Amino acid sequence: MYHTSNPEPDTAIDRTVPEFPVAQLSDEDKYFNSYKPPSYLPRIEDEVRSFIEFHATTSGKPIALVTSGGTTVPLENNTVRFIDNFSAGTRGATSAENFLENGYAVIFLHREFSLLPYSRHYSHTTNCFLDYMTEANDKIEIKPNYAEKMLKVLRKYKDAKESRSLLLIPFTTVNQYLFTLKSVSELLHRVESKALFYLAAAVSDFFLPQSRTPQHKIQSQDGGGKLVVDLEQVPKFLSRLVENWAPSAMIISFKLETDDSILIKKAKTALQRYQHQLVIGNLLQTRKKEVVFVNSKGEEKWIRLTPEQVEENLEIESLIIPEVVQVHNQWINRK
Amino acid sequence: MYHTSNPEPDTAIDRTVPEFPVAQLSDEDKYFNSYKPPSYLPRIEDEVRSFIEFHATTSGKPIALVTSGGTTVPLENNTVRFIDNFSAGTRGATSAENFLENGYAVIFLHREFSLLPYSRHYSHTTNCFLDYMTEANDKIEIKPNYAEKMLKVLRKYKDAKESRSLLLIPFTTVNQYLFTLKSVSELLHRVESKALFYLAAAVSDFFLPQSRTPQHKIQSQDGGGKLVVDLEQVPKFLSRLVENWAPSAMIISFKLETDDSILIKKAKTALQRYQHQLVIGNLLQTRKKEVVFVNSKGEEKWIRLTPEQVEENLEIESLIIPEVVQVHNQWINRK
């Protein structure tokens, strides 16, 4: 089956865009003072607060905030059009399942309608929902060849729900993402070092300042129209997260590249800039087969599926997460 | 439940963008000569050709091409980022079901992963796939409260598949959409006036010419970076469709507005510009409750759900499609 929605690796990352300076406190203040939080944010805060409180006082589980999927940038005055970031959410959704299986509670901050833990096995495929169903004796049922695996997935999903271990929080725009991340981060300070940030979302680099109207400058040209979109960079909030919002938590960010010769260097630069604990580097072409952990001491550790594991469709997140858990345990114990 | 992905009606359509001239033969030639067709297009053409042939020679059904969902504009050299058009595909997917129930064969040209006929009842909702399932006696089954309705939907879906009446064709980018639309249109000429075009997709107005590199002009400003995206208008192909690709078919386009005082005028302008048969006008705020048919004679006919029908969740497409079928029958018979 052909897929129409995958970008080509050789053109997927634009290297003409330079690195931006780290957001300073003033940038952060400026952003959150200039833009409005989403109107539903208090409801999310209530949900997150009671989720964290439950695990802090009752389950005792460590809490992973997993971000997943791409943020959008609405072209203002025209929210029918928006700039989007390519990401199905596979890394985030698969990782969330593995955190749950490793004893974590998971706040899954995800792009609405992107892949979700567990249901991901049955969505965004070429199969539609109804292709899993059949009719027998005037009743609808799951096709026998799917039933066994689906029951296993359902049990895990129900476990996660019944133990209150999985909280799904959606976003669409980069503004919603930033405000929600800030709120959740501040609330996660409650569990200090037992909080783990696993930032796998594809966050927009650029946004359209609300103040800039009219932002669509139409210029007559060859008798036709032309649209010029003028975007500002999104402040780089990772430092603020480390220093202010959740200073005791462990923070892991991702670095996706297409050129293996610069992957490690970019990961190390990110660690120096943001002073967080771990970057997981991966190449677009091989991201489902190998990743590299780069820590703040500059150590590198590759995690790779063996050819046999690739053959049997093992997911690399089942190797990544136990490694992450180990690093997080060290982080908790050194505090 | 809050949704993060719906645009606000009062800012959803940008009226600072003027109307563009109709594409001329030269614009069409220029576009299709300048851009590459998607590599999988021959496979789609084979599928569509044999689908049309089957219905032309065996079933005798009229064929509706339903386009649905939004097209994307990749920001070249950087297909991780793209401009998207807001559309879940509800109108298209619901209409496709109603065409099938009214005896049509349907080619469903849709944005990949947008809503599909039948499965739409169970996707893109706040429920995830697994929320419909339960376990009983060590077996997975559909929850009893969903089973009856789901069986009805499954039967219709299986009918459509077994009678070969539904062909799903995906697109993602506006370039894929345009090339695929052209191919399908030319192939549909086979059934002449029995072909119906029902163009409900949200097609991008602007695209980024491949020739324009580097298209990301970063300008230093306040010590930060800035992204300027310079877009050209997408040629307006509807006239070409009417005149060249499928001259005997009946063509229906949609006009979505937010201001009811200009809806009819915009619909009439479109009919004059493109010389096709019918515009279905609708307002973003009320599009699920009322639409207006405007035909080439300038006649207007409103189709509205009664308050009782709204109450019982009747879908307006179940009123729209029988009206469309009637108009299409007149079109076939006058030929």
Side-chain angles (χ1 to χ4, degrees), chain B residues 247-313:
Chain B
S248 328
M250 180 166 136
I251 295 173
I252 302 174
S253 69
F254 279 79
K255 188 53 92 181
L256 180 72
E257 294 294 331
T258 50
D259 177 358
D260 63 356
S261 71
I262 59 170
L263 177 62
I264 301 287
K265 184 173 159 288
K266 300 283 282 185
K268 288 185 177 169
T269 306
L271 286 165
Q272 277 155 20
R273 284 157 60 96
Y274 304 120
Q275 298 289 314
H276 61 307
Q277 287 76 47
L278 186 66
V279 170
I280 301 182
N282 53 159
L283 295 168
L284 189 64
Q285 305 88 320
T286 58
R287 67 194 191 282
K288 300 199 171 179
K289 280 188 275 188
E290 58 178 26
V291 303
V292 59
F293 280 35
V294 183
N295 69 18
S296 49
K297 292 179 200 145
E299 295 162 343
E300 303 161 27
K301 180 174 187 178
W302 283 90
I303 294 179
R304 291 192 175 92
L305 291 177
T306 63
E308 296 73 40
Q309 289 172 327
V310 172
E311 193 60 35
E312 59 200 27
N313 291 318

Side-chain angles (χ1 to χ4, degrees), chain A residues 90-296:
Chain A
T90 312
R91 178 79 81 204
T94 313
S95 297
E97 284 181 25
N98 281 281
F99 275 117
L100 289 163
E101 280 164 44
N102 279 275
Y104 275 68
V106 173
I107 299 173
F108 191 66
L109 180 59
H110 67 285
R111 167 71 174 274
E112 192 170 9
F113 306 134
S114 68
L115 293 177
L116 296 177
Y118 304 117
S119 77
R120 74 179 171 98
H121 299 277
Y122 304 102
S123 62
H124 288 64
T125 67
T126 49
N127 266 343
C128 100
F129 181 91
L130 295 161
D131 288 323
Y132 297 102
M133 310 293 167
T134 188
E135 181 177 347
N137 307 319
D138 278 341
K139 284 192 68 178
I140 187 165
E141 56 181 47
I142 310 297
K143 284 183 184 165
N145 52 326
Y146 294 115
E148 194 185 344
K149 187 194 164 196
M150 202 181 283
L151 178 59
K152 281 186 193 154
V153 174
L154 178 67
R155 282 178 176 161
K156 289 181 187 172
Y157 175 65
K158 283 183 70 177
D159 269 2
K161 273 180 71 168
E162 283 162 12
S163 63
R164 291 182 60 186
S165 300
L166 176 60
L167 181 63
L168 303 179
I169 303 288
F171 64 81
T172 297
T173 67
V174 66
N175 187 61
Q176 292 168 340
Y177 173 82
L178 291 173
F179 271 99
T180 311
L181 179 64
K182 180 172 190 282
S183 289
V184 175
S185 302
E186 288 169 349
L187 291 166
L188 272 172
H189 190 50
R190 169 76 175 82
V191 294
E192 300 194 328
S193 66
K194 285 177 88 174
L196 173 68
F197 287 73
Y198 186 88
L199 304 172
V203 181
S204 318
D205 296 329
F206 294 97
F207 75 109
L208 195 64
Q210 276 170 347
S211 58
R212 189 176 296 160
T213 43
Q215 71 283 21
H216 293 161
K217 295 168 196 148
I218 308 299
Q219 297 153 22
S220 184
Q221 193 197 41
D222 307 328
K226 198 173 135 170
L227 178 72
V228 179
V229 185
D230 225 351
L231 301 159
E232 296 286 328
Q233 64 173 93
V234 171
K236 294 286 183 188
F237 282 103
L238 203 48
S239 299
R240 314 312 313 157
L241 187 60
V242 176
E243 288 169 33
N244 287 53
W245 300 346
S248 329
M250 181 166 136
I251 296 173
I252 302 174
S253 70
F254 279 79
K255 188 53 92 181
L256 180 72
E257 294 294 331
T258 51
D259 177 358
D260 63 356
S261 71
I262 59 170
L263 177 62
I264 301 288
K265 185 173 159 287
K266 300 283 282 185
K268 289 185 177 169
T269 307
L271 286 164
Q272 278 155 19
R273 284 157 61 95
Y274 304 120
Q275 299 288 314
H276 61 307
Q277 287 76 47
L278 186 65
V279 170
I280 301 182
N282 53 160
L283 295 168
L284 188 64
Q285 305 88 320
T286 58
R287 68 194 191 281
K288 301 199 170 178
K289 280 188 275 189
E290 58 178 26
V291 303
V292 59
F293 280 35
V294 183
N295 69 19
S296 49

Side-chain angles (χ1 to χ4, degrees), chain A residues 30-50:
Chain A
K30 217 166 104 185
Y31 186 90
F32 288 109
N33 288 332
S34 308
Y35 296 96
K36 266 192 286 193
S39 57
Y40 56 75
L41 191 60
R43 293 166 61 187
I44 285 187
E45 288 170 342
D46 287 346
E47 284 182 70
V48 172
R49 191 179 295 110
S50 87

